Amino acid sequence: LGSFYGFNVDHGYLEGLVRGLKAGILTRSDYHNLAQCDTLEDMKLHLQSTDYGSLLTAGNEDLTVSLLDNRLKGTILTEFRCLRAHSLPPLSTFLDYITYSYMIDNVVLLITGALKHRDVEELLPRCHPLGTFDQMAAVGIARTHAELYSAILVDTPLAPFFQDAVSEANLDEMGAEIMRNKLYKAYLEAFYAFCWERGGATRDIMCPILEFEADRRSFIITVNSFGTDLSGGDRRALYPSCGRLYPEGLQLLARAEDHEQVKAVAEYYPDYKLIFSDTEDGSSRTLEDRFFEQEVHLNTLAFLDQFHLGVFYSYIKLKEQEARNIVWIAECVTQRQKSKIDNYIPIF
Amino acid sequence: MYLLILQFSDKFFYSSTACTVLSRTLMHPTHADNYENVSIIFILHWWCFSGICYTIFDLGFRFDVAWFLTETSPFMWANLGIGLAISLSVVGAAWGIYITGSSIIGGGVKAPRIKTKNLVSIIFCEAVAIYGIIMAIVISNMAENFSGTTPETIGARNYQAGYSMFGAGLTVGFSNLFCGICVGIVGSGAALADAQNGSLFVKILIVEIFGSAIGLFGVIVAILQTSKVKMGD
């Protein structure tokens, strides 16, 4: 009875709560008002009339962009922790899956920091708070992948994703990046299988979002590997296989050597063709921006259906995008670069 | 020898049915699936086996529907009907209320104005349980004592009364069950839509009204079914 007849037994209250929180996401008119501001003080005033309320007025620290960023991340963290604390399986497993991607980023951050001989105390505050786990401080001590796994990560939730990533080679910068991509590939495929198993509306909403995420990773890995010594064969091991590009598109991508060939691969898929095509009005949207736009579009679709787990994922991702938008506007305002201020991605 | 096999097969039939039902209700869904498939295949095989045995050993007369219907008391059917009327209605009402109630509570956190208006959805679900209890009382008032003990002395009218009461109970029970679920799911949608946009509530309420009408249909048909019931000597 996990489908819509029995969904509300365990998750009805939280779904109502998340939809209420979603109503507080800033709209186009809010962004318009924020973009008109000249200083951060004006932005603070405008944010007070939205759902953020006393976000910036509490405390007496100096109003800077980094303070704004921290406070925004703090709200997402509080809301997520509240949802996670009240949730029952399978929602609790689903929310845990959302945190694993941040955990992977934190692990790689700590390893690269340790390679540069940075102090653990300095690195810990820079980790993403949603992805904390108990053994974080010990991650910097490991020297090889196998050591990292067997000594530290085997007790964390990331252990099942280490199947492909364990190797006896010493950890270096490139190795850390490859490990990140391999972990992420295993994580994404596991998450996709979980959503697929749930079936019903959860599958219909979440699987396209995760397919897009997989394809986006494949494209970004390919584009970023031009000019490095990461060969096509090595790249292929990093592509997640739960996307629409699998298997033919991934084979073509593994053989691509420059941006034009990547664009040719994208031509076969209508959504990705649009993303890679040059726009006529000559706006300066980067590839990353266009991927974010498509992600936002897919996430807003989650709210059109009821009795599924996708609303929780979409809410977190849209809140993050909102945080990115507000920080972008704040940066433009403080640096007086009003020309680029409209490069945020409106959500609703 | 074949009588032994048949007695054996009856017991296995009942035990494998019980196996499936228990496994479905008590076990975690994923574990139960394996047992359920095995039990269903088991049951089907035993039914086929029993059916073939009864046929080839010329014991088809033992599968006697008429004996069953005349030997069971009309009171059993009547009370089953009363029980189903109230219990299935309450299941439907409860299902609907919890579906709507949890959405109202969740939505009411960020939009407190929806709290009072959306209690109307709960009232629609509750009405379904009230229909059930009314019909249960109406049906139970029709049960009277009769002094026959054999099928001939009980008489056709008493049998008809028993079956009508059972049928009326089934009618009102199932229609209220589905009415309750329907109103519950629509009410949940109404609460969440109202939290986002206050003008949507009245429109969705119209859908709910149509949904609650189907419970009323069940009550009407059940009244018609029991209108000619006359138990007694």
Side-chain angles (χ1 to χ4, degrees):
Chain A
L1 287 181
S3 70
F4 59 95
Y5 297 112
F7 183 86
N8 273 13
V9 184
D10 293 332
H11 316 124
Y13 166 71
L14 289 175
E15 186 188 6
L17 183 58
V18 147
R19 282 176 182 268
L21 293 171
K22 166 249 180 192
I25 289 183
L26 301 184
T27 59
R28 278 167 214 259
S29 59
D30 290 321
Y31 284 126
H32 192 67
N33 289 340
L34 285 176
Q36 306 286 356
C37 295
D38 290 319
T39 65
L40 282 182
E41 290 293 332
D42 290 343
M43 283 185 70
K44 181 168 105 173
L45 219 58
H46 275 117
L47 282 177
Q48 267 181 317
S49 65
T50 66
D51 236 29
Y52 279 113
S54 56
L55 178 76
L56 292 174
T57 53
N60 49 9
E61 296 152 20
D62 295 327
L63 189 58
T64 60
V65 176
S66 65
L67 175 74
L68 177 63
D69 193 31
N70 286 340
R71 291 276 171 90
L72 289 171
K73 287 208 166 80
T75 29
I76 299 178
L77 183 66
T78 322
E79 288 166 0
F80 184 84
R81 289 221 169 116
C82 171
L83 292 174
R84 177 65 184 85
H86 283 93
S87 59
L88 287 168
L91 178 59
S92 51
T93 332
F94 186 85
L95 291 175
D96 285 338
Y97 266 108
I98 298 178
T99 62
Y100 297 159
S101 68
Y102 302 113
M103 273 187 208
I104 294 174
D105 288 335
N106 287 349
V107 164
V108 173
L109 178 78
L110 289 166
I111 290 184
T112 46
L115 286 171
K116 295 194 177 100
H117 306 290
R118 293 252 168 82
D119 199 14
V120 157
E121 305 304 324
E122 199 188 311
L123 291 171
L124 281 180
R126 290 174 50 192
C127 288
H128 198 290
L130 272 179
T132 51
F133 53 96
D134 294 331
Q135 296 87 346
M136 262 167 74
V139 166
I141 301 173
R143 286 287 150 254
T144 69
H145 291 104
E147 208 180 284
L148 181 67
Y149 174 65
S150 57
I152 299 157
L153 291 181
V154 69
D155 292 322
T156 65
L158 293 179
F161 307 138
F162 252 87
Q163 304 298 334
D164 278 329
V166 176
S167 73
E168 287 300 330
N170 271 331
L171 281 174
D172 56 354
E173 294 259 340
M174 189 66 159
E177 279 305 310
I178 293 193
M179 186 178 71
R180 182 212 297 269
N181 285 314
K182 285 198 172 148
L183 280 178
Y184 202 87
K185 168 183 154 84
Y187 152 71
L188 207 55
E189 288 166 7
F191 197 6
Y192 187 84
F194 178 80
C195 292
W196 185 266
E197 256 181 88
R198 298 253 67 81
T202 306
R203 180 198 289 188
D204 292 335
I205 301 289
M206 281 306 298
C207 287
I209 295 178
L210 294 177
E211 282 167 11
F212 172 73
E213 187 64 28
D215 294 335
R216 174 195 195 179
R217 294 289 290 205
S218 308
F219 279 125
I220 300 266
I221 289 172
T222 317
V223 168
N224 287 349
S225 72
F226 296 147
T228 66
D229 47 347
L230 190 64
S231 71
D234 290 338
R235 277 203 313 249
R236 192 186 312 196
L238 304 178
Y239 296 149
S241 65
C242 57
R244 287 192 284 152
L245 286 176
Y246 175 82
E248 299 91 7
L250 293 182
Q251 278 183 343
L252 291 173
L253 268 186
R255 286 201 290 257
E257 295 301 329
D258 59 32
H259 199 84
E260 286 306 315
Q261 290 183 8
V262 171
K263 207 164 138 182
V265 174
E267 297 279 311
Y268 292 117
Y269 303 90
D271 289 343
Y272 306 143
K273 181 175 171 179
L274 273 177
I275 291 177
F276 275 88
S277 67
D278 301 316
T279 54
E280 292 85 43
D281 56 355
S283 67
S284 58
R285 298 245 161 189
T286 64
L287 192 62
E288 295 270 351
D289 281 340
R290 303 229 201 121
F291 278 131
F292 276 130
E293 260 177 38
Q294 175 73 356
E295 184 191 2
V296 162
H297 168 70
L298 287 174
N299 279 324
T300 51
L301 293 178
F303 293 97
L304 298 177
D305 207 345
Q306 215 187 335
F307 306 122
H308 64 92
L309 301 175
V311 283
F312 299 96
Y313 178 90
S314 298
Y315 173 71
I316 299 289
K317 294 296 171 189
L318 290 179
K319 265 312 230 202
E320 282 185 350
Q321 179 62 41
E322 181 181 273
R324 281 194 288 265
N325 285 347
I326 296 178
V327 166
W328 173 263
I329 294 178
E331 293 273 11
C332 288
V333 158
T334 48
Q335 291 170 18
R336 313 235 183 277
Q337 293 253 15
K338 289 291 188 130
S339 57
K340 293 209 178 138
I341 205 166
D342 286 327
N343 276 357
Y344 59 84
I345 297 170
I347 298 171
F348 285 123
Chain B
M1 161 70 189
Y2 39 82
L3 285 176
L4 255 173
I5 295 177
L6 286 166
Q7 284 168 8
F8 211 44
S9 74
D10 285 344
K11 287 194 180 55
F12 262 97
F13 164 67
Y14 294 127
S15 63
S16 48
T17 325
C19 227
T20 320
V21 169
L22 275 176
S23 66
R24 252 240 114 120
T25 50
L26 293 182
M27 287 195 206
H28 187 270
T30 51
H31 298 319
D33 284 343
N34 304 327
Y35 291 100
E36 192 188 310
N37 293 339
V38 167
S39 297
I40 284 179
I41 292 172
F42 202 46
I43 289 179
L44 288 176
H45 277 113
W46 274 112
W47 282 352
C48 290
F49 183 63
S50 311
I52 292 172
C53 278
Y54 275 118
T55 318
I56 60 178
F57 291 124
D58 200 18
L59 290 168
F61 65 88
R62 285 182 58 155
F63 189 75
D64 196 346
V65 179
W67 166 81
F68 175 67
L69 288 179
T70 49
E71 286 299 320
T72 52
S73 164
F75 287 130
M76 178 195 93
W77 296 110
N79 285 299
L80 267 181
I82 297 167
L84 284 175
I86 183 63
S87 53
L88 290 176
S89 306
V90 165
V91 168
W95 206 327
I97 290 179
Y98 88 64
I99 292 181
T100 308
S102 51
S103 289
I104 295 176
I105 294 175
V109 172
K110 299 298 275 188
R113 60 186 164 77
I114 71 167
K115 291 195 311 278
T116 345
K117 241 190 333 179
N118 279 277
L119 289 180
V120 160
S121 308
I122 308 270
I123 293 173
F124 274 124
C125 291
E126 182 65 27
V128 148
I130 293 176
Y131 298 156
I133 195 170
I134 289 175
M135 277 316 297
I137 293 175
V138 164
I139 298 175
S140 68
N141 279 340
M142 297 173 180
E144 303 278 347
N145 246 325
F146 52 80
S147 55
T149 45
T150 65
E152 291 80 13
T153 47
I154 291 177
R157 212 184 50 202
N158 283 324
Y159 282 114
Q160 185 249 359
Y163 301 142
S164 293
M165 288 151 82
F166 177 66
L170 263 187
T171 309
V172 75
F174 276 109
S175 63
N176 284 343
L177 172 68
F178 294 115
C179 173
I181 299 176
C182 164
V183 173
I185 294 181
V186 175
S188 159
L192 295 178
D194 189 17
Q196 300 282 313
N197 179 355
S199 62
L200 288 176
F201 178 69
V202 177
K203 304 286 192 298
I204 301 181
L205 201 61
I206 298 179
V207 178
E208 261 189 78
I209 292 171
F210 279 112
S212 71
I214 60 181
L216 212 47
F217 297 161
V219 174
I220 294 171
V221 170
I223 300 267
L224 288 175
Q225 278 179 304
T226 52
S227 61
K228 295 200 177 46
V229 163
K230 189 95 180 59
M231 238 187 191
D233 293 324

